[in-house]
Amino acid sequence: MFIDLNSDLGESYGSWKMGNDEHILPIVSSANIACGFHAGDPLGIFNTVKKAVALNVSIGAHVAYPDLVGFGRRNMDLSAAELTADVLYQIAALDGLAKVAGSKVRYVKPHGALYNTIAHDPKQAAAVIDAIQSYDQSLILVALAGSPLIQQARQAGLSVVAEAFADRAYHADGRLVSRRLEGAVLHDAEVVAKRVVSMLQEGGVPSIEGTFTPILADSICLHGDTAGALQMANAIKSELLQHHINIRAFAQATEVN
């Protein structure tokens, strides 16, 4: 049994630092690298790309709404044409840097508000799907486990990987608990590590309402910008290996299969 571990990286901007890229990269198998719309500057993004290549970590475009001030966490009502162009621009920019570094973008994971919106909004989802297919139909879309987006993208011909979050609380219906609510983000490394194993071995976790929530995921996101992120990432890796669950990038697994 194996699972992919991914993390949002390359999000520092100038003198403003975000995350623990250097320490998280050796732990994960896939790197969701910012493309400059919600975070990241060209030099920082390129450095993260080169480190990912050196560690044989799969590179994904972490595309977002054009919202640097809000860190991509504010909803935007963009036209389909505008959103498609924005996503296409971001994928192409990151892929260009990856090419120079000797690799390529293998998947796309939307960020923040865009991620949550397209999970349930078919119109904006269609715009993102169109951008991905216009650039490279072999790219894999990472989507919220259990969301309608998964079926919509697959019907459109995209390969999709279902994703769960190690340190986020879930509602009984599978939605993520809003960060504005208490208990939305979990900080106990031991608890989070056991929840990840529960997702994989039992097919779900307890919801914030107290009931069991089914979650079938092929990739687990480790946030690198939360308190104790590095300790949590190490705890998750250790717990997985103790249960004989190997860590491998889903993109590499797809190529093997």
Side-chain angles (χ1 to χ4, degrees):
M1 186 176 185
F2 73 90
I3 188 67
D4 173 74
L5 296 182
N6 74 74
S7 189
D8 303 342
L9 303 169
E11 293 181 323
S12 295
Y13 191 88
S15 61
W16 181 77
K17 301 301 179 185
M18 169 65 79
N20 299 283
D21 290 16
E22 291 186 4
H23 297 103
I24 295 291
L25 266 172
I27 297 173
V28 300
S29 45
S30 297
N32 321 315
I33 301 180
C35 303
F37 270 37
H38 78 281
D41 60 48
L43 178 59
I45 293 170
F46 191 34
N47 285 337
T48 300
V49 166
K50 289 187 288 186
K51 290 171 185 173
V53 173
L55 292 168
N56 195 32
V57 174
S58 290
I59 295 171
H62 202 32
V63 300
Y65 289 129
D67 181 27
L68 274 175
V69 173
F71 197 65
R73 289 180 176 160
R74 299 183 293 188
N75 290 324
M76 290 189 170
D77 185 18
L78 305 179
S79 69
E82 191 175 11
L83 182 55
T84 296
D86 282 351
V87 172
L88 184 58
Y89 181 94
Q90 292 174 81
I91 297 171
L94 187 66
D95 195 41
L97 293 176
K99 181 179 179 180
V100 172
S103 186
K104 64 179 181 179
V105 168
R106 300 180 184 275
Y107 67 94
V108 176
K109 177 187 169 181
H111 164 82
L114 180 60
Y115 180 95
N116 292 324
T117 297
I118 67 172
H120 301 282
D121 183 334
K123 291 184 178 179
Q124 288 209 10
V128 173
I129 291 169
D130 184 41
I132 296 171
Q133 291 184 313
S134 296
Y135 188 80
D136 183 350
Q137 293 191 14
S138 71
L139 290 173
I140 302 167
L141 173 65
V142 176
L144 179 65
S147 68
L149 172 61
I150 293 177
Q151 182 178 3
Q152 181 180 352
R154 285 176 176 162
Q155 287 179 339
L158 277 182
S159 296
V160 184
V161 161
E163 176 189 45
F165 291 82
D167 62 348
R168 293 292 303 277
Y170 283 83
H171 286 295
D173 63 1
R175 290 181 299 113
L176 291 172
V177 176
S178 171
R179 287 178 177 270
R180 294 189 293 270
L181 300 178
E182 185 177 353
V185 181
L186 310 176
H187 299 286
D188 187 311
E190 183 178 352
V191 169
V192 169
K194 292 185 182 302
R195 278 170 65 91
V196 170
V197 171
S198 174
M199 288 180 190
L200 302 178
Q201 293 190 335
E202 300 175 27
V205 294
S207 69
I208 199 169
E209 291 85 7
T211 57
F212 185 79
T213 301
I215 299 175
L216 300 178
D218 303 303
S219 183
I220 306 293
C221 180
L222 313 181
H223 282 118
D225 59 344
T226 55
L230 183 57
Q231 178 187 2
M232 194 175 297
N234 281 317
I236 291 169
K237 181 177 181 179
S238 176
E239 191 77 11
L240 288 171
L241 295 179
Q242 285 180 26
H243 286 80
H244 307 290
I245 302 171
N246 295 315
I247 299 168
R248 184 171 67 173
F250 58 80
Q252 293 174 357
T254 301
E255 290 171 357
V256 170
N257 293 334

